Amino acid sequence: MKRTVSIILALLLCISLCACGTSSESSSSDTQEEADVYSNAANDFDFSKEDELTDSEVEAIVVKKLYKQIQYQWPTADAGSCRYSLNKIERTSNYITAYGEVYLYDKYGKLMSGSYSHTFKILCTADGETVYSCRFDD
């Protein structure tokens, strides 16, 4: 009895695996739709601003610099647990300045004792290659 049930279950498993397989045939309408989506995206892209960093790219640069600076300035703080808010990004032709606030947490997830909240100002080149300063105001 057990042998019969196990054979039936094994056959059902094989059938279900075969049914889930993908066919190698693809419809040409699907590939045409994908091509249309890519061409529309390329037409919508503004190539005049290709050298300008997006806000998310600036935020990534800020977070990377904050991480290093927190580790250096507050060794008891866990830089990976700290929270930040990016309040303002100023752009000039040569520089990007980012302003925000950071909350310091220790390795146990608790706010640091004393002064746990600091505002920061980070200055970097417009292309994001060089970060000139990272200053905290107490």
Side-chain angles (χ1 to χ4, degrees), residues 10 21 23 35 50 52-53 75 82 93 109 125 131-132 134 138:
S23 65
E50 68 184 43
E52 186 176 312
L53 295 175
C82 294
S93 59
T125 57
V131 177
Y132 288 114
C134 178
D138 293 327

Side-chain angles (χ1 to χ4, degrees), residues 61-62 65 90 92 94-99 120-126 130-135:
I61 292 168
V62 167
K65 184 60 180 177
E90 289 181 351
T92 62
N94 297 326
Y95 301 104
I96 296 174
T97 307
Y99 302 92
F120 64 84
K121 175 183 175 182
I122 295 178
L123 176 68
C124 70
T125 57
T130 307
V131 177
Y132 288 114
S133 68
C134 178
R135 294 189 182 148

Side-chain angles (χ1 to χ4, degrees), residues 35-124:
D36 290 342
V37 168
Y38 290 128
S39 66
N40 289 340
N43 291 338
D44 293 341
F45 187 73
D46 184 9
F47 290 103
S48 64
K49 295 182 178 181
E50 68 184 43
D51 290 340
E52 186 176 312
L53 295 175
T54 64
D55 286 349
S56 60
E57 290 171 330
V58 172
E59 185 174 359
I61 292 168
V62 167
V63 170
K64 184 177 177 182
K65 184 60 180 177
L66 281 175
Y67 192 90
K68 288 180 181 179
Q69 192 67 26
I70 289 169
Q71 287 178 327
Y72 173 75
Q73 198 161 343
W74 295 283
T76 57
D78 181 23
S81 297
C82 294
R83 307 287 186 260
Y84 69 91
S85 62
L86 191 57
N87 300 333
K88 182 180 176 184
I89 298 173
E90 289 181 351
R91 299 172 192 269
T92 62
S93 59
N94 297 326
Y95 301 104
I96 296 174
T97 307
Y99 302 92
E101 190 169 8
V102 65
Y103 300 93
L104 302 175
Y105 288 84
D106 63 11
K107 65 181 180 179
Y108 302 109
K110 295 182 180 179
L111 283 170
M112 297 278 295
S113 60
S115 181
Y116 61 86
S117 174
H118 300 275
T119 58
F120 64 84
K121 175 183 175 182
I122 295 178
L123 176 68
C124 70

Side-chain angles (χ1 to χ4, degrees), residues 27-37:
S27 65
S28 62
S29 65
D30 288 342
T31 55
Q32 182 60 37
E33 287 175 7
E34 290 176 9
D36 290 342
V37 168

